[in-house]
Amino acid sequence: MMRNRDQNQLDLSFGRFLADLGGSSDLLFRAGQAVSKARREGNVCVALDQIAVGMDLQDLQNALLATGLVGEAGDYCPLILHQEYLYLQRYFRYETLVADRIRADALVMTTLADSEVPVLLDQLFPQPDDGELDQQKLAALSALCHSFSVISGGPGTGKTTTVAKILALHLALDGDCQIMLGAPTGKAATRLQESLTQTIDSLDVDPHIKEKITLPVMTIHRLLGFGRSGFRYDREHPLKADVVLIDEASMVDLPLMAALIQALPQTCKLILLGDQYQLASVQPGAVLGEICSGGDGFTDDFRAIGQNAGVAVPDVKNNNSLANSIVTLHRSYRFHRDSGIRLLSDFVKEGDGHSALDVLCDPSYPDVVLQQPQIVNLVADISAAYHSEQTDLLAGFSRLGVLCCHRSGVLGVEAVNQQVAAHIHQAGQPYYHGLPLMVIANDHALGLYNGDTCVVVERQGRFYGCFQVGGALRYVLVRQLPPHTQAYAITVHKSQGSEYDKVAFLLPQGGSLVLGRELVYTALTRARHMVTVYGEPGQFVEAVAKKVVRVSGLAGRIW
């Protein structure tokens, strides 16, 4: 509660600061407070009608510009007015950088004159037995044609397989192609690395190409050379890359996307990989969701390129060339059509809470269950997941994911972790054999990053954090670990990029600003085999009906 008061005080302080600069202007006070609050809540800007309710929009714009502290595009002022939105100056700059690069890249489309392209596409993407449209092949064509492309899809739709084949295509056409791979968090980077390693072996390509695809995956901060003075790579010092691919792009906030785009050479391709329906980034912006918001379809020019390359392009027209750059993978290779998890996730994604609840309560879908929200029901399952031999202890992270909406509260991360720890071990022991931990800060020297997980093991009277690195185990003394926390339960935000055999999703008691369909969808789609939702039916329906909207002008500026 104290934290919220402190944050609100920051909004008030910024409003007073602007008001004082403007000669005790009440309008500037309200504008400054509103913009600060909007940014704190994850929005890039604030709609003008939220600043002076009921005031004529044109009169409000004129009044703000007359203060001298509000400018328009190209002005250097604390606040920037653009159309019906008001921005902090630097966030308008971030949005402009991203929008300008995407719009410019969307206009560039290579015709693929190389005669090898159709042969390579057929080699890597054989015709499906069922004769269905090969969405993965379509995504590969789009990535070959465009300087900017997006591959969106839910879990099990083959995003990583598609990416491996896209990288193989680029290397087959240009053996000197410089490729860089990144992800927003250390955990997401590790997962992409492992998934690509498993996928590459099965590719029908030259062994030399397989070797070249086996690339290190870095966090975006590390890729850009983040240090005390900021990013090493920027517009003046661009990356040496021909292709940059970013996984889990839904987690990338606007400032980080702007930094990445600034560091790309003009000739460099950017490929974003992610799920547009997942939670947006913790920081301001919902970049991937806004990029994918313009609807389906393709231009006639792209359809002609597909015909020449032997790739079927759906006959759905979209006159905006950006639409050619975005391919959504719908076919699930993990879940059958009658899977409860798949059906439940689809209804949640569509915001149909009542249909989703029907599936959740239908005994004919045994892989999805609704239970009353009692922590005690979870303790035995969590204990069993981590109570085994050392090698199996590490598997506890993939067997059961206990996902909470908040850190605090009765059904929050802290309460669940404390109750499980008290049930399994004597109170007062900071570390014990079998305790799962999550790193919550980056440590480049140790090579440990925010979101990395380990299990505490006791060896010769000393406690170590045991990490799974590829196929090997790594031990780090617990006293040397970066800041960390217990991880029997984690937040849904922290679970992004992870997969579990079973998921226990705990709805919070009382109200929640973050609980909406994006959070519910993200939690459900972490599961491979089973989901148990702990909560009340009405609360679940209400959560699915609620869409958390980030206020931004990006979608309007690129579409």
Side-chain angles (χ1 to χ4, degrees):
M1 196 67 185
M2 180 64 71
R3 184 179 177 187
N4 286 336
R5 285 202 297 267
D6 290 342
Q7 289 175 331
N8 292 338
Q9 186 59 48
L10 290 175
D11 303 339
L12 293 170
S13 297
F14 185 68
R16 293 189 188 109
F17 170 72
L18 285 182
D20 290 344
L21 289 178
S24 300
S25 167
D26 179 64
L27 180 60
L28 279 176
F29 170 75
R30 283 183 285 166
Q33 184 183 11
V35 170
S36 176
K37 180 176 182 289
R39 187 209 58 80
R40 178 168 53 80
E41 293 177 349
N43 301 304
V44 174
C45 51
V46 63
L48 288 178
D49 59 11
Q50 299 300 306
I51 297 173
V53 179
M55 187 174 179
D56 179 77
L57 185 61
Q58 188 61 57
D59 291 343
L60 177 57
Q61 291 173 328
N62 293 336
L64 287 168
L65 292 172
T67 65
L69 296 178
V70 179
E72 297 179 290
D75 295 336
Y76 190 76
C77 298
L79 302 181
I80 297 295
L81 180 65
H82 184 72
Q83 297 178 352
E84 70 271 26
Y85 298 115
L86 188 65
Y87 297 76
L88 286 169
Q89 196 271 343
R90 64 190 175 106
Y91 280 90
F92 180 75
R93 187 173 73 252
Y94 295 146
E95 187 176 277
T96 301
L97 284 166
V98 174
D100 287 352
R101 180 65 183 252
I102 291 176
R103 280 203 311 265
D105 285 351
L107 296 175
V108 179
M109 186 165 59
T110 307
T111 56
L112 301 179
D114 196 314
S115 60
E116 286 188 76
V117 171
V119 176
L120 289 168
L121 284 169
D122 288 340
Q123 178 182 336
L124 286 165
F125 299 92
Q127 180 66 30
D129 295 335
D130 55 13
E132 284 192 17
L133 173 71
D134 193 337
Q135 297 166 334
Q136 296 183 5
K137 191 175 186 180
L138 180 62
L141 177 69
S142 178
L144 281 177
C145 290
H146 298 102
S147 297
F148 172 79
S149 58
V150 174
I151 303 170
S152 177
T157 53
K159 294 192 297 294
T160 305
T161 300
T162 306
V163 162
K165 293 180 179 181
I166 287 172
L167 300 182
L169 277 169
H170 281 86
L171 289 166
L173 294 169
D174 179 6
D176 296 323
C177 183
Q178 298 296 308
I179 298 172
M180 302 185 78
L181 308 177
T185 66
K187 179 164 61 173
T190 299
R191 181 158 188 80
L192 177 60
Q193 184 93 65
E194 294 172 347
S195 298
L196 280 175
T197 300
Q198 295 170 1
T199 303
I200 288 168
D201 289 339
S202 63
L203 292 183
D204 182 18
V205 295
D206 188 280
H208 295 296
I209 292 179
K210 291 185 180 182
E211 291 179 11
K212 290 183 178 181
I213 300 176
T214 309
L215 299 163
V217 183
M218 297 177 280
T219 63
I220 300 175
H221 282 81
R222 188 177 180 188
L223 187 147
L224 296 178
F226 182 72
R228 292 182 178 178
S229 58
F231 293 114
R232 175 185 176 188
Y233 296 100
D234 53 24
R235 181 176 294 171
E236 302 300 322
H237 309 90
L239 295 165
K240 295 179 180 179
D242 300 307
V243 176
V244 171
L245 182 141
I246 303 298
D247 193 18
E248 295 292 348
S250 64
M251 299 168 65
V252 182
D253 57 66
L254 179 66
L256 186 57
M257 185 64 76
L260 174 66
I261 281 178
Q262 280 197 97
L264 298 179
Q266 286 299 314
T267 56
C268 181
K269 288 186 175 183
L270 176 61
I271 303 173
L272 301 181
L273 188 68
D275 186 345
Q276 60 179 297
Y277 298 103
Q278 277 190 195
L279 279 167
S281 57
V282 176
Q283 298 300 319
V287 179
L288 184 67
E290 292 190 82
I291 291 172
C292 296
S293 67
D296 296 326
F298 302 92
T299 64
D300 291 335
D301 290 343
F302 182 70
R303 194 171 289 104
I305 292 175
Q307 185 175 2
N308 291 333
V311 180
V313 179
D315 191 19
V316 179
K317 292 187 178 182
N318 191 320
N319 293 326
N320 192 315
S321 56
L322 176 59
N324 298 325
S325 304
I326 302 165
V327 176
T328 302
L329 307 179
H330 296 288
R331 182 173 183 175
S332 176
Y333 296 90
R334 179 184 302 171
F335 303 118
H336 296 294
R337 293 186 182 276
D338 58 352
S339 161
I341 294 176
R342 179 176 179 176
L343 190 58
L344 177 62
S345 301
D346 286 345
F347 282 132
V348 169
K349 188 168 60 177
E350 296 163 5
D352 187 346
H354 292 288
S355 295
L357 182 64
D358 288 343
V359 174
L360 195 56
C361 298
D362 189 337
S364 62
Y365 298 108
D367 55 338
V368 291
V369 179
L370 179 67
Q371 288 193 11
Q372 289 298 308
Q374 296 179 358
I375 281 185
V376 66
N377 296 337
L378 275 174
V379 173
D381 288 342
I382 298 174
S383 302
Y386 288 93
H387 185 68
S388 51
E389 297 301 320
Q390 176 181 315
T391 53
D392 289 330
L393 281 171
L394 289 164
F397 285 111
S398 63
R399 280 195 296 261
L400 176 65
V402 182
L403 309 182
C404 306
C405 299
H406 302 283
R407 290 202 56 80
S408 59
V410 176
L411 295 177
V413 168
E414 294 169 353
V416 174
N417 282 328
Q418 287 172 4
Q419 291 204 28
V420 174
H423 176 81
I424 296 177
H425 291 275
Q426 294 181 358
Q429 290 180 280
Y431 299 104
Y432 47 83
H433 187 80
L435 172 66
L437 299 175
M438 173 176 281
V439 174
I440 56 175
N442 295 334
D443 188 322
H444 296 289
L446 282 175
L448 296 175
Y449 301 96
N450 186 6
D452 286 350
T453 52
C454 68
V455 172
V456 174
V457 296
E458 186 176 3
R459 305 175 74 189
Q460 298 178 342
R462 306 177 78 181
F463 290 113
Y464 294 81
C466 181
F467 295 84
Q468 184 92 38
V469 182
L473 302 180
R474 180 189 178 193
Y475 297 90
V476 180
L477 282 167
V478 291
R479 59 181 175 82
Q480 294 179 343
L481 291 174
H484 52 274
T485 185
Q486 292 183 359
Y488 289 113
I490 62 176
T491 61
V492 177
H493 273 94
K494 287 289 187 181
S495 76
Q496 287 180 274
S498 298
E499 292 179 356
Y500 310 93
D501 291 339
K502 298 180 180 180
V503 161
F505 175 42
L506 281 65
L507 297 177
Q509 291 190 350
S512 171
L513 293 176
V514 302
L515 181 57
R517 76 181 63 157
E518 297 85 359
L519 188 137
V520 176
Y521 173 82
T522 302
L524 298 178
T525 54
R526 300 310 91 205
R528 298 188 189 98
H529 305 303
M530 185 170 182
V531 172
T532 302
V533 177
Y534 289 82
E536 300 293 344
Q539 184 187 23
F540 178 79
V541 172
E542 185 178 334
V544 173
K546 176 184 173 185
K547 183 173 177 60
V548 178
V549 178
R550 295 282 180 90
V551 181
S552 165
L554 181 61
R557 296 174 75 177
I558 62 177
W559 284 105

